């Protein structure tokens, strides 16, 4: 969906994706699509985690040793 | 372009002038906002650019770890705006909301100036430099970098220091929650309600719709709002209200037990969902507060400079120098950020040049949050501010005494006004609720109710603000207890290797128990202290946090010398020196000051003398209490001495490294040079 204002065009769907991506990363979950593309491009022989497994893995990593550090 | 920047400089100078020179009449908060924004804009445009290009020589063609080690999980090249959001969410916490509120006892001006000057020359510089050196070292952690650049001994000393900071941080944050929730059925109910809400979200995100973070947070948010509304119903009902009324001591033990449980339970069940909720609530509330200030344009009622700069203030004891500079840590400079800047952010940076926007820029944004907190505290009538923040031992416990005492300081307030304010926010009493959260909540409720709902919604907004702070403090307590546990296992593992096994149930339990006992001890001590506890604990926390900042900046200075960029070393060395002077002076005064309100030894001497004379002094009710007070004094004293020793050792280690770097003609910095050709985004 494209919205035109101020003489420029904005791709609302892309903005929405960025918004979700930001929100996800704020709580420590990186972009799943980027992960899938990375594995496909660089490690085609490796097994790709499903979205569910990926989410669990990242959640555990955030609060595991060395993760989950936030400011006061 | 030159014209625009000149205009910004003039606008900033005029607003700062209005803020600084107004005497006797209240000043509009917008002046403060404009002054701050102009300072940030100029600092970002000029100083951070100077650091990026001259001092560090950021290289856009250099590969970052995100590309070189891309694994799609930890190392992921990330859009800079997305990463900015992540980094800001990680550095913004309760700190910038509490410090400025406490510092408001000296008037709004000292705090404002330190927040602005501190962030431009120390805080944002520290975050930026740490991020930069970590990016050039594979995104390694602060402790790791200290070990490799300054030696293994310095590494161990720094780790012990960081662990001690964690313990004090968790204690002081827990104390803030206790102060806000003690004898408040409304607040207690809403905080209890977060547990089932988080469980529900956790189950939803685990089994029903995994990876739908925003979706489950939205459900949580709606339930949370309902809980706040229902909390008002509970508080109005005498039977139910009694069920949810807890003393400070009860709350302390509940938090300790809770901290233990939450850090050994599976993270997806309660810790993670509450983290999501608190993160988004925090961002949302910060935006709402900013909008509120712009719409309501409140006036600051606190004088620019109050009489308490002389060190006799009731909120915390000690004079402007050095205590202002350790009271406001987060918001101007916070050592904790060095841990965040060397955590996940450097592993995701697409391009080195973006370290400027993310390191320096995000810290400016956090400083803006501190300015808003200062505004929220100073829009209150000063009389109400002091009634809320001065300890009961100083001002008394009923509205008549308190109003008389606070008015005698020159901040006129009537008992009726205090009762009315408590009623407006739906509480029985607002007296002596030190710790920043309640004051901020009253200030926020005044601002937000000016936008939406008027007086009728003030109680709702007050409890919304309390819940928002309690929620993310509790999340920090859970996550922090886990982090402290891993640190203990790592440190103790050096002596007893079996402790290091993080999959061993026994080792985990032992380390968690140790972590919880550590902060629990200081929390309990703070809760029973008649001077409110914040008095003792906040300065300890401030000293430790600024100490860590001094260590991080020292590391940055060492790296600059090793890079042979020492002509710019002042960028890191000047703030290091300032923080060292502040922490060491403050530490010295906390130990040796002859004033019992400031010095631990003087306080201990007063109690030993009383004990020898067979007298019992408040807060002690018995001889064994007296001994407990003495023990606390000596423990606090020892901890302060530990912090000071850590600073001195680390400064010494830093200077030694600088000397070695200078006497070597080569560049000795240990950067990671990826020999791969620069890879463009490979999808």
């Amino acid at each position: 969906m494209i919205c035109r204002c101020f003489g420029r065009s904005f791709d609302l769907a892309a903005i929405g994706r960025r918004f979700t991506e930001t929100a996800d990363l704020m709580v420590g979950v990186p972009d799943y699509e980027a992960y899938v593309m990375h594995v496909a491009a660089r490690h085609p022989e490796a097994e790709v985690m499903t979205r569910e497994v990926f989410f669990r893995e990242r959640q555990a990593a955030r609060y595991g040793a060395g993760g989950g550090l936030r400011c006061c | 372009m030159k014209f625009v920047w000149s205009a910004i400089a003039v606008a900033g100078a005029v607003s700062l002038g209005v803020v600084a020179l107004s005497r006797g009449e209240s000043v509009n908060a917008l002046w403060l906002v404009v002054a701050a924004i102009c300072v940030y804009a100029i600092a970002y445009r000029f100083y951070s650019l100077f650091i990026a290009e001259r001092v560090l020589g950021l290289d856009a063609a250099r590969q970052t770890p995100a590309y070189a080690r891309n694994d799609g999980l930890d190392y992921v090249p990330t859009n800079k705006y997305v990463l900015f959001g992540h980094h800001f969410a990680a550095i913004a916490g309760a700190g910038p909301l509490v410090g400025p509120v406490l510092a408001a006892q000296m008037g709004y001006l000292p705090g404002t100036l330190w927040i602005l000057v501190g962030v431009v020359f120390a805080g944002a510089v520290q975050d930026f430099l740490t991020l930069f050196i970590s990016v050039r070292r594979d995104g390694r952690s602060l402790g790791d970098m200290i070990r490799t650049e300054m030696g293994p001994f310095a590494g161990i000393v720094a780790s012990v220091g960081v662990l001690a900071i964690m313990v004090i941080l968790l204690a002081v944050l827990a104390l803030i929650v206790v102060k806000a929730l003690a004898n408040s059925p409304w607040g207690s109910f809403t905080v209890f309600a977060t547990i089932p809400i988080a469980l529900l979200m956790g189950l939803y995100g685990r089994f029903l719709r995994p990876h739908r973070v925003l979706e489950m947070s939205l459900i949580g948010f709606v339930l949370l709002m309902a809980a706040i509304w229902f909390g008002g119903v509970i508080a109005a009902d005498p039977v139910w209200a009694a069920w949810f009324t807890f003393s400070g001591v009860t709350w302390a033990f509940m938090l300790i037990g809770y901290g233990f449980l939450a850090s050994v339970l599976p993270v997806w069940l309660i810790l993670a969902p509450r983290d999501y909720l608190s993160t988004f609530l925090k961002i949302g509330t910060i935006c709402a507060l900013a909008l509120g200030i712009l719409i309501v344009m409140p006036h600051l009622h606190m004088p620019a400079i109050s009489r308490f700069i002389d060190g006799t203030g009731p909120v915390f004891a000690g004079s402007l120098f050095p205590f202002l500079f350790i009271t406001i840590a987060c918001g101007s400079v916070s050592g904790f950020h060095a841990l965040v800047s060397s955590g996940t952010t450097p592993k995701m940076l697409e391009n080195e040049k973006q370290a400027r926007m993310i390191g320096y820029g995000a810290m400016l944004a956090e400083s803006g949050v501190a300015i808003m907190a200062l505004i929220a505290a100073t829009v209150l009538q000063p009389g109400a501010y002091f009634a809320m923040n001065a300890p009961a031992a100083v001002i008394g416990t009923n509205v008549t005494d308190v109003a008389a005492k606070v008015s005698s300081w020159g901040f006129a307030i009537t008992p009726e006004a205090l009762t009315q304010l408590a009623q407006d926010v739906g509480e029985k009493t607002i007296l002596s609720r030190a710790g920043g959260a309640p004051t901020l909540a009253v200030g926020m409720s005044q601002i937000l109710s000016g936008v939406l709902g008027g007086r009728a919604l003030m109680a709702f907004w007050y409890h919304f603000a309390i819940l928002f702070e309690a929620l993310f403090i509790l999340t920090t307590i859970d996550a922090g207890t886990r982090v402290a546990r891993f640190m203990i296992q790592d440190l103790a593992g050096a002596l007893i290797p079996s402790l290091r096994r993080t999959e061993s149930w026994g080792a985990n339990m032992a380390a968690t128990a140790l972590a919880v006992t550590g902060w629990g001890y200081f929390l309990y001590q703070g809760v029973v202290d008649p001077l409110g506890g914040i008095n003792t604990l906040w300065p300890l926390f401030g000293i430790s946090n600024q100490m860590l900042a001094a260590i991080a900046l020292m590391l940055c200075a060492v790296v600059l010398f090793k890079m042979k960029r020492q002509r710019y070393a002042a960028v890191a060395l000047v703030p290091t020196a300032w923080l060292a002077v502040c922490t060491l002076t403050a530490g010295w005064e906390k130990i040796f000051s002859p004033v019992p309100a400031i010095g631990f030894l003087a306080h201990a001497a007063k109690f030993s003398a009383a004990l020898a004379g067979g007298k019992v002094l408040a807060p002690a009710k018995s001889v064994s209490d007296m001994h407990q007070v003495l023990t606390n004094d000596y423990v606090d004293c020892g901890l302060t001495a530990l912090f000071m020793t850590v600073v001195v050792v680390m400064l010494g280690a830093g200077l030694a490294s600088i000397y070695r770097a200078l006497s070597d003609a080569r560049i000795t910095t240990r950067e990671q040079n990826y020999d791969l050709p620069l890879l463009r985004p490979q999808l």
Side-chain angles (χ1 to χ4, degrees):
Chain A
M1 204 167 109
I2 306 291
C3 158
R4 280 176 210 291
C5 45
F6 307 118
R8 292 173 67 180
S9 53
F10 297 91
D11 182 350
L12 290 185
I15 292 173
R17 275 198 303 276
R18 270 283 140 75
F19 180 75
T20 319
E21 198 187 328
T22 310
D24 279 3
L25 191 61
M26 272 181 178
V27 294
V29 184
D31 194 21
Y32 177 68
E33 274 71 35
Y35 158 78
V36 172
M37 282 191 272
H38 167 79
V39 176
R42 299 286 295 278
H43 314 283
E45 73 294 344
E47 197 181 331
V48 184
M49 284 188 266
T50 62
R51 184 179 279 277
E52 198 170 312
V53 176
F54 174 80
F55 178 65
R56 287 182 187 182
E57 197 276 339
R58 285 292 87 196
Q59 202 174 46
R62 178 169 166 87
Y63 308 100
L69 204 60
R70 258 144 311 154
C71 186
C72 27
Chain B
M1 232 25 226
K2 262 194 184 142
F3 171 76
V4 174
W5 285 106
S6 312
I8 292 177
V10 170
V14 169
S15 331
L16 262 183
V18 170
V19 168
L21 299 175
S22 92
R23 291 287 180 277
E25 49 196 301
S26 66
V27 72
N28 196 301
L30 271 195
W31 288 109
L32 207 74
V33 174
V34 173
I37 290 175
C38 293
V39 168
Y40 298 153
I42 291 171
Y44 185 77
R45 168 64 183 76
F46 296 99
Y47 192 50
S48 76
L49 189 66
F50 167 77
I51 295 176
E53 293 191 342
R54 297 281 189 79
V55 181
L56 302 178
L58 294 186
D59 181 1
R62 196 183 167 107
Q63 199 174 30
T64 58
Y67 282 111
R69 309 195 45 153
N70 189 348
D71 59 3
L73 298 170
D74 290 314
Y75 293 87
V76 189
T78 305
N79 173 280
K80 64 176 176 176
Y81 299 107
V82 175
L83 191 57
F84 181 93
H86 161 79
H87 187 73
F88 178 71
I91 61 172
L97 298 176
V98 175
V101 173
L102 301 179
Q105 77 162 341
M106 294 186 169
Y108 64 78
L109 190 58
T112 303
L113 292 181
W114 167 233
I115 289 173
L116 295 180
V117 175
V119 74
V120 168
F121 293 106
V125 174
Q126 175 210 247
D127 292 19
F128 183 12
L129 296 188
T130 322
L131 178 58
F132 163 78
I133 61 174
S134 178
V135 166
R136 288 238 170 140
R137 283 161 189 73
D138 256 350
R140 285 206 319 224
S141 72
L142 184 75
D144 252 2
M145 293 191 294
I146 289 178
R147 216 167 298 139
T148 48
E149 301 287 339
M150 291 164 72
F153 178 66
I156 290 179
V157 174
S159 308
V160 173
V162 170
L163 180 61
I165 296 172
M166 280 308 286
V167 168
I168 281 294
L169 167 76
L170 296 177
V172 80
L173 289 181
L175 184 60
I176 291 169
V177 174
V178 169
K179 288 281 164 191
L181 297 181
N183 302 315
S184 164
W186 191 335
S188 301
F189 173 81
T190 49
V191 168
F192 275 122
T194 62
I195 294 176
I197 293 175
L199 286 174
L200 197 73
M201 285 170 64
L203 293 170
Y204 183 88
R206 185 80 176 179
F207 300 112
L208 281 175
R209 305 260 296 165
H211 200 173
R212 293 288 186 269
V213 169
L214 274 178
E215 209 174 283
M216 64 198 229
S217 302
L218 203 64
I219 297 174
F221 177 75
V222 172
L223 291 173
L224 212 57
M225 292 299 109
I228 298 177
W229 171 80
F230 196 62
V233 179
I234 294 276
D237 183 295
V239 180
W240 280 106
W243 270 92
F244 285 98
T245 304
F246 303 101
S247 70
V249 175
T250 315
W251 256 116
F253 282 109
M254 285 195 293
L255 284 182
I256 292 169
Y258 165 79
F260 184 85
L261 261 185
S263 67
V264 293
L265 283 176
V267 291
W268 59 267
L269 190 60
I270 183 158
L271 175 52
R274 243 211 342 228
D275 180 17
Y276 303 163
L277 206 51
S278 75
T279 302
F280 300 133
L281 202 59
K282 176 173 73 188
I283 302 291
T285 308
I286 288 171
C287 296
L289 185 59
L291 273 179
I293 290 173
L294 293 180
I295 295 173
V296 178
M297 299 190 281
H299 277 259
L300 308 181
H301 294 292
M302 186 68 79
I305 296 174
S306 85
R307 50 180 289 208
F308 294 127
I309 53 170
D310 64 357
T312 58
V315 184
F316 61 90
S319 49
L320 188 114
F321 175 82
F323 286 98
L324 173 74
F325 305 100
I326 57 157
T327 300
I328 303 184
C330 310
S332 47
V333 49
S334 162
F336 236 81
H337 294 189
L339 302 177
V340 178
S341 296
S342 61
T344 46
T345 311
K347 301 187 178 90
M348 300 192 152
L349 206 64
E350 265 184 335
N351 191 303
E352 228 176 66
K353 289 237 164 190
Q354 296 167 353
R356 177 184 169 212
M357 177 186 131
I358 289 160
Y360 202 93
M363 182 59 197
L364 290 181
E366 155 127 318
S367 173
V369 176
I371 290 284
M372 295 198 298
L374 190 72
I375 290 175
T378 51
V379 297
L380 297 184
Q381 288 301 330
Y385 169 86
F386 284 106
M388 290 190 73
N389 286 285
V394 176
I395 55 172
T397 49
N398 68 65
V399 281
T400 321
D401 294 351
V402 172
K405 182 77 190 174
V406 172
S407 299
S408 78
W409 291 335
F411 304 105
I413 187 101
T414 60
E416 294 74 32
L418 290 174
T419 314
Q420 182 63 44
L421 189 59
Q423 254 173 25
D424 281 347
V425 299
E427 288 291 318
K428 275 203 211 61
T429 171
I430 50 157
L431 304 178
S432 300
R433 287 197 182 266
T439 311
L440 183 72
V442 173
M444 276 175 65
S445 71
Q446 286 195 351
I447 293 169
L448 294 176
S449 66
V451 180
L452 188 68
R455 204 171 227 187
L457 271 191
M458 224 176 124
F460 180 87
W461 285 121
Y462 172 84
H463 285 97
F464 172 80
I466 290 285
L467 179 67
F468 136 78
E469 289 191 73
L471 195 61
F472 72 67
I473 287 179
L474 289 179
T475 310
T476 311
I477 290 177
D478 302 350
T481 303
R482 284 181 74 86
V483 172
R485 176 191 118 193
F486 291 128
M487 285 181 189
I488 290 173
Q489 284 185 287
D490 196 41
L491 271 175
L495 302 174
I496 315 160
S498 64
L499 270 177
R500 202 169 256 163
R501 290 174 41 223
T502 47
E503 69 285 350
S504 143
W505 184 247
N508 289 354
M509 284 295 173
T512 306
L514 208 60
V516 172
T517 316
W519 64 259
Y521 170 80
F522 289 100
L523 169 63
Y524 181 76
Q525 175 197 329
V527 170
V528 296
D529 184 343
L531 286 173
I534 291 287
N535 250 321
T536 312
L537 285 182
W538 191 263
L540 274 181
F541 164 62
I543 289 172
S544 64
N545 199 0
Q546 304 298 56
M547 167 202 90
L548 184 57
I551 293 174
L553 280 161
M554 192 70 199
L555 171 69
C556 299
V558 167
V559 170
L560 287 179
F561 276 95
K562 290 187 164 189
M563 291 168 83
K564 295 292 174 204
R565 287 180 179 273
Q566 58 255 35
R567 39 185 300 224
Y568 300 113
V571 164
L573 279 180
V574 170
T576 309
W578 172 248
L579 290 173
V581 168
C582 287
T583 49
L584 291 178
T585 318
W588 184 266
E589 285 195 26
K590 285 313 288 182
I591 298 179
F592 295 111
S593 165
V595 184
I598 303 176
F600 295 127
L601 288 182
H603 190 259
K606 186 173 136 189
F607 275 74
S608 334
L611 202 56
K615 278 187 291 185
V616 174
L617 297 178
K621 294 189 187 73
S622 64
V623 172
S624 75
D625 283 359
M626 293 287 281
H627 285 290
Q628 187 59 48
V629 170
L630 283 174
T631 314
N632 292 348
D633 276 333
Y634 292 128
V635 170
D636 293 344
C637 206
L639 197 62
T640 313
L642 170 74
F643 289 146
M644 292 172 72
T645 315
V646 170
V647 177
V648 172
V649 168
M650 294 305 292
L651 290 183
L655 291 177
S657 304
I658 289 174
Y659 176 75
R660 276 197 301 276
L662 282 176
S663 43
D664 198 324
R666 293 164 301 176
I667 289 178
T668 47
T669 182
R670 297 186 189 180
E671 293 182 359
Q672 185 74 39
N673 273 314
Y674 304 110
D675 43 6
L676 298 156
L678 178 65
L679 296 172
R680 279 289 130 206
Q682 357 109 358
L683 301 171

